[in-house]
């Protein structure tokens, strides 16, 4: 019977792949035909051609990305229907359904049905594929009558098989093994802020990624223009997860680490915790606002200006009045400067005109040239720039931190010691903690116009085009705001301010990467417990409708500016409009290791959630006690045994940041190019990193060097050591030269 069933599934799945190949060939022909078409005709015809090309390219990318394990499930229903579940939906040319997309409502029972609540399902079958071939099948029989009829359960369990598989350096999707509590969260409504709290190994990241794919499928009309942003804790993490969404049929999600949320800036990790904590405070928004306002200066005294040999007087009163009028426009600094300059140029021109006319009584010659003389006069340009200098965000923040007088004037609410901590050189590299400050400055400064003003008619014409385009999308966005409980009315002008429409083929994801003012329809945040208040402020600015999926574990907070509770993190931005869901099962970490990590955290005074581990490992944590000068030699000594134990898997060595280079060099002298960083790969199967870089990643085995340093080196938080201990899927080893933190040994 099993052989016959397996043969049947192989034949059916082969048919699915045949249909997939047919669709690929069809889209490829259509794309080639569009590309061969000329660029002649009207602007509308060229736009339509480009739109079709982009459509076919996106569909081809989707069809190519789902080739691996295209189908993974089958449902046998009470109605007699057999329903196959896969990565995308497939139909015949005459629209006969061959396979249901896992995100479709009809597929929900594949994840939700149980023997106690069958939901019309008699049998759930898992298809185990290798390449395009069905290697095995596993049946969950939910209808007891089928057991009476002779149907039996097959296989070791798709979930356990996936959990025991070797890590490859890239995260795999869990679409075939999503569990019921995960599926409930993935399919939760779009509106508002959903917080997914879960301990290590509960699949938070997988849930977040599958939810992003589900939302794009279910709310395509609402999200396809605005897009979805996925934010992670590090570049290593983003590389680790980069293949998951394409494998789920989605290629348009914008993915960025927290250090890359400002176009053109790559914020480095590793800032001093005290400095990062100060920069993360919400009051830094006031500091930046003060810094901008302080660049709108009243001169200490009236100023004499030479214009073509004539002396003009720029008074404090004139500058103050022009400044007040410019501020009253409510425009950003650089845009309001145009008003400021226009007022003073007019007044200085009137003053020059009076001088000329008083010297040449009765002369009625045209004086229009005088305005240009005033505008071009060097002393006038210097005086106006000193009073109201056009600025970039980078220049404003860099000068604020490098010039004590500017910082003192901008941040009187900080102590002298705190201001001293913030000071640095003008050529210092930008950090992750700087990115929200730069974004705040860019918001207050607006676009810099170095020429003194663009053609106003052209600007207004473009503005009208932007608003006209925005009006087409306004209904969906307004509904999204209503669903999210956001007060106020979203106008076409508001939307045009966020999403300036560009007449090119770029997708929303492409444009959003380079447009700081882009407004996303939804944002997914992973390791969200690490975000500072200023980073949350940046994200809320990126999503005015406040539609979020927020994933994290408060117990794993290691950042000095991170949250102590979800209420503390979210209340300033969404009030009480957020909902908490919790994941309770640990799928990653063997029970012996998970229990040791929880005991350690509790002994250090940190209450942590203790999700139930679904499996017991083969080993308890292994502990090596050595002298301080023998740490690295011991590390090199034990690596062969660890690699043998995990049998071709990935091994991570996690050390304090200060020891990463030394540990990597020691191992590289033996293993050469096999030593890597980040999530690793098939070629680099031994990686060396600090706890920050390890966040969100998982490995077959982990060696922690000097665990007590990870516990004591971060302002008393246990997050670094807790995170490090919960990364392995098989085996944990600790090498220590000091007393081991309490609780680890039971």
């Amino acid at each position: 019977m099993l052989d016959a069933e397996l043969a049947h599934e192989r034949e059916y799945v082969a048919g699915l792949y045949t249909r997939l190949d047919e669709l690929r060939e069809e889209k490829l022909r259509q794309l080639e035909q569009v590309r061969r078409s000329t660029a002649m005709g009207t602007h509308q015809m060229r736009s339509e051609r480009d739109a079709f090309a982009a459509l076919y390219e996106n569909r081809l990318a989707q069809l190519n990305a789902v080739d691996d394990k295209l189908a993974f499930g089958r449902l046998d229903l009470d109605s007699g229907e057999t329903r196959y579940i896969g990565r995308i939906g497939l139909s015949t040319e005459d629209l006969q359904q061959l396979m249901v997309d896992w995100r479709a409502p009809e597929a929900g029972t594949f994840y939700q049905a149980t023997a106690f609540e069958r939901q019309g399902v008699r049998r759930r079958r898992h298809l185990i594929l290798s390449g395009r071939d069905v290697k095995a099948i596993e049946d969950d029989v939910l209808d007891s009558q089928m057991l009476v009829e002779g149907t039996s359960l097959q296989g070791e369990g798709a979930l356990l098989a996936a959990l025991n598989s070797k890590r490859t350096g890239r995260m795999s999707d869990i679409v075939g093994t999503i569990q019921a509590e995960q599926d409930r969260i993935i399919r939760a409504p779009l509106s508002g802020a959903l917080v997914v709290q879960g301990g290590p190994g509960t699949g938070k990241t997988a849930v977040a990624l599958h939810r992003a794919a589900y939302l794009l499928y279910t709310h395509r009309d609402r999200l396809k223009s605005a897009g979805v942003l996925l934010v992670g804790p590090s570049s290593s993490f983003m590389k680790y997860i980069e293949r998951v969404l394409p494998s789920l049929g989605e290629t348009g999600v914008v993915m960025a680490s927290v250090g890359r949320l400002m176009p053109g800036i790559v914020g480095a990790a590793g800032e001093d915790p005290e400095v990062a904590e100060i920069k993360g405070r919400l009051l830094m928004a006031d500091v930046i606002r003060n810094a901008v306002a302080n660049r709108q200066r009243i001169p200490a005294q009236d100023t004499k200006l030479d214009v073509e040999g004539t002396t003009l007087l720029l008074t404090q009163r004139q500058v103050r009045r022009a400044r007040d009028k410019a501020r009253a426009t409510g425009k950003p600094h650089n845009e309001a400067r145009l008003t400021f300059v226009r007022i003073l140029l007019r007044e200085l021109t009137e003053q020059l005109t009076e001088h000329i006319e008083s010297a040449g009584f009765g002369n009625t010659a045209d004086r229009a040239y005088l305005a240009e003389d005033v505008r071009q006069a060097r002393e006038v340009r210097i005086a106006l720039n000193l009073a109201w200098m056009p600025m970039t965000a980078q220049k404003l923040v860099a000068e604020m931190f490098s010039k004590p007088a500017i910082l003192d004037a901008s941040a009187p609410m900080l102590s002298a010691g705190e201001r001293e901590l913030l000071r640095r050189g003008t050529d210092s590299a930008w950090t992750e903690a700087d990115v929200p400050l730069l974004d705040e400055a860019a918001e207050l400064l607006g676009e810099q116009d170095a020429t003194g003003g663009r053609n106003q008619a052209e600007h207004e014409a473009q503005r009208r085009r932007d608003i006209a385009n925005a009006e087409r999308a306004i209904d969906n966005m307004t509904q999204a705001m209503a669903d999210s409980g956001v007060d106020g009315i979203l106008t076409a002008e508001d939307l045009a301010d966020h999403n300036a429409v560009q007449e090119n083929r770029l997708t929303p994801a492409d444009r959003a990467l380079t447009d700081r003012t882009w407004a996303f329809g939804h944002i997914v945040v992973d390791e969200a417990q690490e975000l500072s208040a200023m980073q949350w402020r940046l994200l809320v600015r990126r999503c005015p409708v406040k539609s979020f999926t927020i994933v994290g574990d408060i117990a794993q907070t290691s950042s000095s500016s991170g949250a102590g509770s979800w209420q503390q993190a979210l209340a300033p931005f969404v009030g009480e409009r957020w909902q908490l869901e919790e994941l309770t099962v640990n799928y990653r970490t063997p029970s012996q290791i998970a229990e040791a990590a929880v005991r350690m955290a509790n002994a250090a005074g940190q209450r942590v959630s203790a999700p139930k581990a679904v499996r017991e490992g083969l080993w308890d944590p292994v502990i090596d006690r050595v002298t301080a000068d023998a740490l690295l030699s011991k590390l090199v000594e034990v690596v062969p045994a660890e690699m043998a134990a995990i049998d071709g898997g990935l091994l991570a060595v996690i050390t304090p940041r200060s020891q990463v280079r030394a540990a990597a060099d020691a191992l590289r002298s033996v293993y050469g190019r096999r030593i890597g960083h980040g999530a690793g790969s098939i070629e680099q199967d031994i990686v060396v990193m600090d706890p920050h870089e390890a966040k969100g990643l998982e490995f077959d085995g982990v060696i922690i060097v000097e665990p007590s340093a990870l516990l004591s080196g971060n302002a008393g938080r246990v997050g670094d050591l807790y995170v490090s201990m919960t990364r392995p899927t098989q085996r944990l080893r600790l090498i220590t030269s000091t007393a081991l933190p309490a609780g680890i040994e039971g």
Side-chain angles (χ1 to χ4, degrees), residues 55-96:
L55 177 66
Y56 298 145
E57 288 170 353
N58 290 340
R59 180 59 170 163
L60 267 173
Q62 181 192 52
L63 295 173
N64 289 331
V66 299
D67 195 286
D68 185 43
K69 300 174 184 175
L70 173 65
F72 53 81
R74 167 182 146 178
L75 293 174
D76 295 337
L77 307 179
D78 288 342
S79 63
E81 177 189 356
T82 297
R83 183 181 299 164
Y84 282 83
I85 313 297
R87 296 180 180 279
I88 59 173
L90 286 177
S91 300
T92 62
E93 288 189 24
D94 59 355
L95 302 182
Q96 296 297 309

Side-chain angles (χ1 to χ4, degrees), residues 112-416:
Q112 299 157 4
T114 68
F116 299 101
E117 191 174 343
R118 293 196 297 110
Q119 300 183 37
V121 177
R122 301 194 73 198
R123 175 172 60 186
R124 172 174 45 229
R125 171 167 288 177
H126 297 270
L127 307 176
I128 315 300
L129 272 65
S130 175
R132 292 187 164 198
D133 186 32
V134 180
K135 291 295 186 182
I137 57 177
E138 176 204 327
D139 288 340
D140 298 332
V141 179
L142 307 184
D143 183 358
S144 58
Q145 183 60 36
M146 292 187 72
L147 296 176
V148 174
E149 295 168 359
T151 301
S152 61
L153 282 70
Q154 305 288 342
E156 65 169 327
L159 176 61
L160 286 177
L163 296 178
N164 290 322
S165 63
K166 298 292 187 294
R167 270 47 195 168
T168 64
R170 294 293 183 272
M171 184 179 182
S172 300
D173 63 72
I174 60 167
V175 63
T177 58
I178 293 171
Q179 300 302 293
E181 74 169 3
Q182 297 172 327
D183 185 73
R184 186 186 70 254
I185 295 170
I186 289 168
R187 297 175 190 266
L190 168 65
S191 60
L194 175 67
V195 176
V196 183
Q197 161 72 35
T202 54
K204 299 184 297 297
T205 297
V207 167
L209 293 168
H210 288 70
R211 177 162 168 77
Y214 170 78
L215 292 177
L216 279 165
Y217 175 89
T218 306
H219 304 281
R220 182 77 62 185
D221 289 342
R222 185 179 301 179
L223 295 177
K224 66 180 178 181
S225 297
V228 172
L229 171 65
L230 192 148
V231 179
S234 67
S235 296
S236 297
F237 175 82
M238 303 314 291
K239 184 177 180 181
Y240 173 62
I241 67 172
E242 65 184 357
R243 297 179 185 175
V244 175
L245 282 167
S247 75
L248 297 174
E250 294 298 341
T251 58
V253 176
V254 179
M255 301 171 64
S257 61
V258 292
R260 292 177 177 263
L261 293 176
M262 175 81 175
I265 299 294
V266 179
E271 179 140 55
D272 179 271
E274 288 186 86
V275 176
E277 188 276 325
I278 297 170
K279 290 180 179 179
R281 297 178 192 171
L282 203 54
L283 62 80
M284 289 302 295
D286 295 327
V287 172
I288 299 297
R289 186 177 297 106
N290 291 343
V292 173
N294 291 342
R295 292 309 182 105
Q296 302 162 5
R297 302 164 177 161
I298 308 299
Q301 58 188 14
D302 296 347
T303 307
K304 293 181 179 180
L305 307 173
D306 178 77
V307 178
E308 297 291 330
T310 300
T311 299
L312 305 181
L313 187 65
L314 181 65
T315 68
Q316 290 177 297
R317 181 173 178 273
Q318 287 175 308
V319 176
R320 181 177 290 106
R321 185 171 63 246
R323 183 192 67 177
D324 293 345
K325 289 183 178 179
R327 286 178 172 177
T329 65
K331 295 179 179 178
H333 172 90
N334 290 324
E335 297 175 31
R337 180 180 181 273
L338 299 179
T339 300
F340 174 81
V341 169
R342 190 181 302 116
I343 291 171
L344 291 182
L345 287 179
R346 184 180 67 244
E347 294 185 0
L348 290 172
T349 299
E350 291 172 355
Q351 192 178 144
L352 178 59
T353 301
E354 291 175 5
H355 276 285
I356 297 297
E357 290 182 347
S358 64
F361 182 77
N363 186 343
T364 59
D366 183 14
R367 310 292 187 196
Y369 69 91
L370 295 180
E372 185 64 17
D373 287 346
V374 171
R375 193 176 73 83
Q376 293 292 343
R378 180 174 181 274
E379 291 187 5
V380 171
R381 295 201 307 271
I382 291 174
L384 296 186
N385 281 339
L386 287 174
W388 196 306
M389 177 75 76
M391 297 286 291
T392 65
Q394 291 92 322
K395 181 176 177 62
L396 180 91
V397 177
E399 289 189 353
M400 182 181 75
F401 286 147
S402 62
K403 296 183 178 180
I406 295 179
L407 184 57
D408 291 346
S410 302
M413 66 285 285
L414 296 178
S415 69

